[in-house]
Amino acid sequence: MKAYPKYKDSGISWIGQIPEHWEKVYLSQISKEHFISNKNVHHQNLLSLSYGRIVRKDINKTDGLLPSNFDGYQIVEPNNTVLRLTDLQNDQRSLRTGLVKEEGIVTSAYLCLQPTNKANPKYFHLQLHVNDIHKVFYGMGGGLRQSLNFEGMKYLPMIIPPTAEQEQIVRWIESKTLKIDTYVAERERVSYAF
């Protein structure tokens, strides 16, 4: 990543300084809640948020906690970000964000967000993921189950570089992540060989 000539305070303690030309905006300025009911659609590609990833589940599986029908589920589309923002007081270890890569259905208990054209979907998700890692959501929820919805999150501060820089950041992070994943896979392969 490159150095910039001028920086300014982001106003977010755990972020600190940002390049002067980057913007600090609210979540609601760069995204909207995305909700399409599965009622009367009966989409069959069941997805779930698991350890920070959106994974497929078998809709025909008879064990587990699946409902008798999926009318109460919502349809998600590629480049949506899904957040599980329930039971914030009980579980502070889970990863609560996932980037959707294929159309499918998820429980309506998840919050689904669609970034505007001002935010690269992968960059948008990564920024929410970093908020998740820093446990920012835990002080925001309310109610008996300490949950959070779009209304409660709309003033979450977000840092937005110009679109081209968002794309550069995403490419850089993906290249580093690929190296790490390759290293971990190789170490596991070597460990299993012995």
Side-chain angles (χ1 to χ4, degrees):
M1 301 305 293
K2 65 180 180 179
Y4 294 94
K6 292 187 178 180
Y7 289 82
K8 63 184 178 185
D9 185 16
S10 69
I12 305 169
S13 61
W14 61 271
I15 291 179
Q17 299 274 308
I18 60 173
E20 189 175 53
H21 65 287
W22 291 12
E23 292 181 72
K24 176 181 150 189
V25 298
Y26 293 121
L27 179 78
S28 60
Q29 292 175 281
I30 59 167
S31 70
K32 63 181 181 178
E33 187 171 6
H34 175 92
F35 184 85
I36 301 171
S37 175
N38 191 45
K39 189 172 185 169
N40 302 323
V41 177
H42 308 295
H43 204 298
Q44 295 294 301
N45 189 23
L46 180 61
L47 304 173
S48 184
L49 179 61
S50 178
Y51 302 104
R53 297 186 191 280
I54 305 294
V55 297
R56 281 189 188 176
K57 291 182 81 176
D58 185 353
I59 201 163
N60 298 311
K61 203 168 187 183
T62 56
D63 59 332
L65 298 172
L66 295 179
S68 58
N69 71 59
F70 296 89
D71 285 352
Y73 275 48
Q74 62 179 314
I75 297 171
V76 294
E77 299 170 331
N79 294 323
N80 290 155
T81 291
V82 169
L83 299 100
R84 184 178 61 83
L85 299 171
T86 56
D87 292 325
L88 292 170
Q89 80 283 6
N90 291 327
D91 176 11
Q92 296 195 7
R93 293 182 185 196
S94 292
L95 294 175
R96 297 178 170 273
T97 68
L99 180 66
V100 178
K101 296 180 180 173
E102 62 182 306
E103 187 173 301
I105 56 173
V106 298
T107 174
S108 293
Y110 293 163
L111 173 63
C112 181
L113 299 177
Q114 176 64 47
T116 66
N117 60 2
K118 191 172 182 176
N120 174 298
K122 290 180 179 179
Y123 174 85
F124 178 77
H125 168 258
L126 286 168
Q127 190 155 135
L128 285 170
H129 179 66
V130 170
N131 275 276
D132 185 14
I133 290 169
H134 281 273
K135 306 303 178 200
V136 171
F137 305 135
Y138 294 100
M140 299 173 69
L144 184 60
R145 292 183 63 193
Q146 195 173 5
S147 299
L148 196 54
N149 58 21
F150 185 70
E151 188 65 25
M153 284 194 60
K154 69 182 187 179
Y155 295 114
L156 179 71
M158 303 283 282
I159 304 300
I160 297 296
T163 307
E165 289 181 55
Q166 291 178 45
E167 291 167 6
Q168 289 173 342
I169 291 166
V170 168
R171 281 195 305 271
W172 186 84
I173 291 171
E174 287 178 341
S175 73
K176 296 299 180 189
T177 303
L178 179 61
K179 287 180 183 177
I180 293 167
D181 291 346
T182 302
Y183 176 77
V184 169
E186 179 61 21
R187 296 290 297 170
E188 287 175 351
R189 189 187 66 74
V190 170
S191 294
Y192 290 128
F194 291 104

